[in-house]
Amino acid sequence: MKKIAFRFLLLVVVALAGISCKDDYVYSDLVQDNLPAVPVTYSGATTYGFDPYYETSIAGGGNIKITLSIPTSSGRTIKEITRVAAGATSINAGTLNTAGNYNTGPIAGNGTTAEFTTTIKDFNTKRPAVPTTPTTPPTGVREIAFIFLVTLDDGTEIRTMPVRIRVLP
């Protein structure tokens, strides 16, 4: 009988402890999406539920052109692409702080768009540890990624989502 009473008391204490704690994290930045007031998208990119991507091919010269855009209805313009981080597909917003030096300086915006261009050859020079040679069939594809820090005309900084480049043979 004592054993049952002890277990019941223990269950009541655990239940009360679970509901009596203040939930500090429900509305914190740790558990919420921090959506920018002005979204940055990649014009002409393709996506099937994951990071958007562009394609380039080694046979076609390996040219990469990424067009970033914001809605014209936002009332803002893109001042510049301030920083670019590049690497394997595991890059994230933190990579802009640690490896955000792919470009040598800011890239000017043009109204509501900004273009970033590079090549696979340049990527290989700047990120030699990241493989870009397409794999053997059946896939024959290798992916690399970029992420950007975009500054708007009012000084707002937006960290974009990563964009992938599918490197085909």
Side-chain angles (χ1 to χ4, degrees), residues 38 47 51 61 65 68 70 84 87-88 90 97 104 124 144 163:
V38 179
T47 185
D51 293 338
K65 178 181 169 187
L68 293 85
I70 60 173
V84 179
S90 60
N97 299 328
T104 57
N124 289 337
I144 58 175
V163 61

Side-chain angles (χ1 to χ4, degrees), residues 69-82:
S69 63
I70 60 173
T72 54
S73 62
S74 70
R76 304 266 53 104
T77 59
I78 297 176
K79 175 183 174 185
E80 65 187 21
I81 298 172
T82 308

